[in-house]
Amino acid sequence: KMFHNTIVKRPGATYVNGLTTSDLGTPILEKALEQHDAYIEALKTCGTEVTVLPSNDQFPDSTFVEDTAVLTPEFAVISNPGADTRNGEIHEMEPAIKSFYDKIYYIKAPGTLDGGDILQIEDHFYIGISARTNQEGAEQLQQILESENYKATIVPLQKFFHLKTGIAYLGNQTIVVAGEFVDHPDFNSFQKIVVPPEEEYAANCIRVNDYVIIPSGYPQTKQKLNEAGYQTIELDTSEFRKLDGGLSCLSLRF
Ligand code: CIR
């Protein structure tokens, strides 16, 4: 699948106060901005037109734009983020999405849903139930997708923060998997690139056209991807990892 467009949002001064479950320390804003610059450059190298939205200090986590929407070639779904401090992020994202889409659906309370819990594999969407996405939100999305002739499977998560924390789709029926997804029955029919436990964070990688963008510092995963024939771009994501974020979280790709 070819991606023509990407949307990103700059980290703001309050980024350092974002939500986290990790104990990797407080992010360094200046470094986060440099890493974000490199991320934008990589998306351009992959051939996408990058829309860069300005930061909003009211929402410390708003650079993690992936959580605000689910985008398909035909329509957009604005999510209803499950964290209180993030829910309002959708109001700034909506006009940006409207500039690309005419057909827009919404996830509505009491349903909650974070885009990071949604993985598209060809015409089939997998919807994680997590601390952020509840059953009601997942079922709303499932109904929307099925009404648009997509398939949708709900996948309750055991340990991962978001579905895409532990799984990525590369095209060609091939997935990158870590942890609970290595032997998960819902994903057994795919070709798998298995990320070893010590490199688990590298499972959050993104295929963008001719490249797979991966976090730097995960040599075994990089080697497996290269041996499978994928060209990789490595990016330092240390300041995003400190807030449980990764490469997929930082953009909407469509
Ligand atoms: C949060 O807790 O919501 C952010 N600190 C991290 C969001 C990561 N997003 C993603 O995995 N899609």
Side-chain angles (χ1 to χ4, degrees):
K1 178 164 109 174
M2 180 81 192
F3 292 118
H4 297 283
N5 290 289
T6 45
I7 299 176
V8 303
K9 189 176 178 76
R10 297 296 279 167
T14 60
Y15 175 70
V16 298
N17 304 322
L19 299 172
T20 189
T21 61
S22 76
D23 56 1
L24 298 170
T26 304
I28 299 160
L29 180 62
E30 198 154 325
K31 222 170 147 189
L33 287 166
E34 282 169 21
Q35 292 176 356
H36 200 258
D37 287 334
Y39 185 77
I40 292 169
E41 281 313 304
L43 291 175
K44 289 180 183 165
T45 301
C46 295
T48 72
E49 176 106 14
V50 188
T51 299
V52 182
L53 302 176
S55 62
N56 180 348
D57 285 342
Q58 204 190 331
F59 297 104
D61 287 292
S62 55
T63 193
F64 300 116
V65 288
E66 170 174 68
D67 294 318
T68 61
V70 178
L71 304 179
T72 77
E74 304 84 23
F75 59 92
V77 182
I78 307 272
S79 74
N80 190 28
D84 288 342
T85 60
R86 299 200 57 191
N87 193 263
E89 292 176 22
I90 53 177
H91 301 119
E92 269 205 352
M93 191 52 72
E94 197 175 353
I97 288 171
K98 280 192 170 154
S99 72
F100 292 100
Y101 284 93
D102 293 325
K103 193 171 195 180
I104 301 185
Y105 295 94
Y106 296 85
I107 302 298
K108 300 185 185 102
T112 63
L113 185 129
D114 275 14
D117 282 317
I118 317 307
L119 173 70
Q120 183 178 2
I121 300 185
E122 304 300 332
D123 65 349
H124 197 144
F125 284 81
Y126 294 85
I127 308 168
I129 305 270
S130 68
R132 301 290 177 81
T133 298
N134 64 16
Q135 184 74 28
E136 169 79 28
E139 284 174 7
Q140 284 180 29
L141 181 62
Q142 185 175 40
Q143 276 179 13
I144 293 164
L145 292 167
E146 287 175 354
S147 77
E148 292 280 355
N149 297 314
Y150 284 99
K151 294 185 206 107
T153 298
I154 294 176
V155 184
L157 305 191
Q158 310 296 328
K159 283 193 189 151
F160 278 121
F161 178 61
H162 278 127
L163 182 76
K164 276 183 283 188
T165 313
I167 183 167
Y169 182 55
L170 301 180
N172 314 311
Q173 297 296 313
T174 304
I175 54 179
V176 178
V177 279
E180 68 199 66
F181 299 126
V182 172
D183 289 312
H184 195 292
D186 284 338
F187 303 109
N188 269 338
S189 63
F190 300 103
Q191 294 279 106
K192 292 176 192 170
I193 293 180
V194 175
V195 175
E198 66 275 23
E199 294 199 358
E200 193 173 280
Y201 178 76
N204 186 264
C205 56
I206 48 175
R207 170 85 192 260
V208 186
N209 304 330
D210 293 338
Y211 297 91
V212 181
I213 308 179
I214 61 169
S216 56
Y218 301 92
Q220 300 178 66
T221 305
K222 176 178 160 37
Q223 191 180 343
K224 285 186 188 196
L225 287 164
N226 294 153
E227 280 169 0
Y230 297 96
Q231 273 188 285
T232 48
I233 297 175
E234 283 182 279
L235 293 180
D236 188 357
T237 55
S238 64
E239 304 316 297
F240 301 111
R241 188 179 184 182
K242 288 174 180 173
L243 297 191
D244 298 333
L247 290 164
S248 78
C249 322
L250 291 172
S251 60
L252 287 163
R253 304 164 294 281
F254 55 105

